[in-house]
């Protein structure tokens, strides 16, 4: 697969990854009560402005019950940290254990949430981190996990049984034909909508009216977890973001606004500018700001894995586990630099009555890892080379034009991969019969390239399979799709052990051989 530049109005000269990439979670330390974080948290809680008696009680309970000796600090992104503290005095619904989440940027708390669990017998912080990174890892968890605003307003809740999602409840604006964009006289009706997931793949939904908020009502901002009337780390209106003045090519910068919207930029040295590579939108933000995100809003809850192409050119995927829309630039895979227009003629010099040397190559997005896409838009490629006597042909499978996750098919073509750099290769000797079968498959290859089910790796696997050489077929996923990919395939090649074949492995990388030799 070969990446082509996304043609956007910004005319940036690189493509950017669609895979959500966050730094690995890193627990720093427990902070005792005399830690500076205790003062920062107290100051933040003190300036919270409750609207109702219920709000006031939650904040009062938070001040009293927050366990400052339990504070643990984690890195979320290059410039955001998360503090998790026990809050045993706060009881929300029937949950047994509540924790406070405080998100810090540049030494200031920009937003906060409460989260509750019914299951105490798990590493709750690990689950919190996986939700915060939109990479939920329920493992064998059973129980209920609920996220709230700092005032105790429910944002979303998941009921899980043995790692499987049983039901998902989110706060959503309900819209109907009698209202203008979900509003009546500048007001929004809010409902808790619960979607039940069944083992056969079916779903059903129910709804519960919660409240109505109106423009100018402080509660409107509060619904999205933003405090009212300004203040430290509070929202409403625009949020000023200052990107670093100096950076190196490929540097990333992530900012999460007080309402929970997270944006990641990457620095492009070629244009000396920052460009957005990833946007994560909590469902409640989408519903609160319907005018901006109407293309993501609907009359009912979004289904897990729903795909929407936004007017900004981003591909948005809904993740029910974290109740977020995750949007990023869709990568493009394009045709080869040198096409093979006549496959029989290109491959006719091989003597089908003799054996040959077959080499299988993988250019991994990240050398030595199974990532399907790297952080700088590389999706990698896989191809083969056949040598016999003085004849060598190095080639791979491509789309003729350009494909991407929401337009994954195109007319297929073979391309010359001589001189293509690789990260791993495996060389084997093949018989005359095996050579003939591989050549037949290449000449009569599938006519349609499909990013998910018939890409460059599929071609390598299927051409060898036609000769009875079974290669691994382990798949991976990416935003908007999934299937065989050079990242995982490369890792499989490193560990390949074919029966009845003597293999020569090159795990250090290099350059594929040039085509050579001619015939009458």
């Amino acid at each position: 697969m070969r990446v082509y530049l996304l043609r956007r109005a910004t005319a940036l000269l690189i493509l950017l990854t669609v895979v959500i990439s966050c730094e690995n979670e890193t627990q720093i330390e427990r902070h005792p009560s005399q830690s500076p974080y205790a003062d920062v948290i107290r100051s933040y809680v003190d300036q919270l402005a409750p609207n109702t008696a219920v709000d006031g009680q939650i904040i009062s309970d938070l001040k009293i019950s927050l366990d400052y000796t339990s504070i643990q600090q984690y890195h979320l992104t290059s410039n955001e940290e998360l503090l998790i503290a026990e809050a045993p005095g706060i009881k929300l619904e029937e949950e047994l254990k509540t924790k406070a989440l405080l998100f810090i940027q540049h030494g200031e708390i920009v937003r906060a949430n409460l989260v509750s669990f019914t299951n105490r017998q798990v590493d709750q912080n690990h689950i919190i981190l996986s939700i915060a990174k939109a990479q939920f890892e329920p493992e064998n968890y059973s129980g209920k996990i609920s996220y709230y605003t700092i005032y105790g307003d429910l944002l979303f809740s998941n009921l899980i049984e043995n790692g499987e999602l049983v039901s998902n409840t989110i706060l959503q604006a309900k819209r109907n034909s009698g209202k203008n964009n979900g509003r009546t006289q500048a007001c929004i009706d809010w409902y808790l909508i619960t979607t039940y997931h069944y083992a056969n793949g079916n779903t059903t939904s129910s709804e519960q009216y919660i409240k109505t908020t109106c423009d100018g009502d402080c509660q409107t901002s509060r619904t999205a977890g933003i405090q009212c009337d300004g203040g430290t780390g509070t929202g409403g209106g625009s949020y000023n973001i200052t990107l670093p003045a100096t950076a190196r090519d490929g540097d990333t910068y992530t900012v999460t606004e007080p309402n929970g919207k997270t944006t990641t930029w990457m620095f492009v040295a070629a244009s000396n500018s920052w460009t957005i590579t990833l946007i994560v939108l909590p469902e409640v933000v989408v519903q609160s700001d319907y005018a901006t995100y109407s293309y993501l809003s609907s009359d009912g809850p979004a289904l897990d894995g729903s795909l929407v192409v936004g007017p900004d050119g981003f591909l948005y995927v809904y993740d029910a586990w974290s109740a977020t829309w995750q949007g990023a630039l869709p990568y493009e895979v394009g045709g080869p630099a040198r096409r093979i227009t006549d496959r029989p003629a290109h491959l006719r010099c091989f003597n089908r009555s003799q054996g040959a040397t077959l080499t299988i190559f993988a250019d991994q997005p990240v050398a030595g890892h199974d990532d399907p896409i790297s952080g700088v838009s590389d999706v990698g490629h896989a191809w083969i080379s056949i040598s016999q006597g003085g004849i060598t042909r190095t080639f791979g499978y491509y789309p003729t034009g350009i494909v991407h996750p929401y337009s994954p098919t195109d007319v297929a073509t073979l391309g010359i991969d001589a001189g293509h750099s690789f990260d791993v290769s495996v060389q084997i000797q093949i018989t005359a019969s095996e050579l003939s079968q591989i050549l037949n498959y290449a000449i009569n290859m599938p006519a349609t390239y499909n990013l998910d089910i018939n890409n460059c790796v599929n071609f390598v696997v299927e051409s060898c399979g036609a000769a009875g050489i079974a290669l691994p077929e382990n798949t991976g996923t990416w935003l908007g799709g999934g299937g065989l990919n050079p990242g995982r395939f490369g890792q499989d090649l490193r560990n390949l052990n074919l029966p009845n074949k003597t293999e020569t492995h090159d795990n250090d990388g290099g350059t594929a051989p040039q085509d050579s030799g001619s015939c009458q």
Side-chain angles (χ1 to χ4, degrees), residues 184-467:
T184 300
Q185 297 179 347
C187 295
I188 303 177
D189 293 338
W190 291 94
Y191 289 77
L192 283 179
I193 300 182
T194 300
T195 301
Y196 302 91
H197 300 260
Y198 302 102
N200 62 5
N202 293 336
T203 61
T204 59
S205 296
S206 65
E207 61 186 44
Q208 176 187 356
Y209 172 77
I210 299 298
K211 60 189 173 184
T212 298
T213 60
C214 302
D215 287 349
D217 182 357
C218 180
Q219 191 73 11
T220 301
S221 293
R222 274 269 317 284
T223 299
I226 306 173
Q227 289 180 237
C228 311
D229 305 322
T232 303
T234 60
S238 61
Y239 182 73
N240 294 324
I241 297 173
T242 303
L243 297 171
T246 59
R248 296 172 299 179
D249 188 48
D251 283 356
T252 60
Y253 192 80
T254 300
V255 174
T256 302
E257 300 176 34
N259 65 358
K261 175 185 177 182
T262 298
T263 307
T264 298
W265 288 262
M266 180 178 288
F267 187 74
V268 184
S271 59
N272 193 36
S273 63
W274 291 90
T275 187
I276 294 174
T277 63
L278 178 68
I279 298 172
V280 179
L281 288 164
E283 175 69 10
V284 70
V285 174
V286 170
Q287 296 298 319
S288 297
D289 193 0
Y290 176 83
T292 302
Y293 304 113
S294 59
Y295 55 92
L296 297 178
S297 300
S298 62
D299 293 333
L303 297 178
D304 189 43
S306 295
L307 296 176
V308 175
V309 181
D312 53 4
F314 275 50
L315 175 65
Y316 289 87
V317 179
Y318 185 69
D319 176 51
W321 294 100
S322 58
T324 57
W325 286 93
Q326 303 159 19
L329 288 176
Y331 61 85
E332 292 180 339
V333 177
R338 293 181 290 169
R339 289 177 56 186
I340 298 173
T341 57
D342 188 338
R343 297 191 296 277
H346 188 77
L347 299 174
R348 69 185 176 89
C349 291
F350 293 109
N351 185 341
R352 294 184 179 227
S353 64
Q354 297 179 2
T357 299
L358 172 71
T359 307
I360 304 164
F361 297 93
D363 169 18
Q364 297 178 284
V366 181
H369 296 274
D370 62 2
D371 301 348
I373 307 168
S374 77
V376 289
S377 76
D378 182 10
V379 296
H381 184 52
W383 68 99
I384 62 175
S385 180
I386 300 174
S387 294
Q388 184 190 68
I391 307 297
T392 296
R393 297 291 185 265
T394 304
F395 55 94
Y397 188 71
Y398 291 87
T400 299
I402 294 174
V403 298
H404 45 72
Y406 52 84
S407 181
T409 63
D410 189 25
V411 175
T413 187
L414 282 189
I416 297 175
D417 283 313
H420 197 306
S421 62
F422 67 90
D423 296 303
V424 56
S425 71
V426 175
Q427 184 180 96
I428 60 175
Q429 299 302 312
I430 55 176
T431 65
S433 175
E434 291 168 338
L435 169 64
S436 185
Q437 293 299 324
I438 292 173
L439 293 176
N440 287 341
Y441 185 89
I443 291 171
N444 300 289
M445 67 180 198
T448 302
Y449 183 100
N450 187 301
L451 188 61
D452 297 308
I453 61 174
N454 197 34
N455 58 40
C456 63
V457 179
N458 292 94
F459 173 80
V460 173
V461 170
E462 295 299 328
S463 62
C464 291

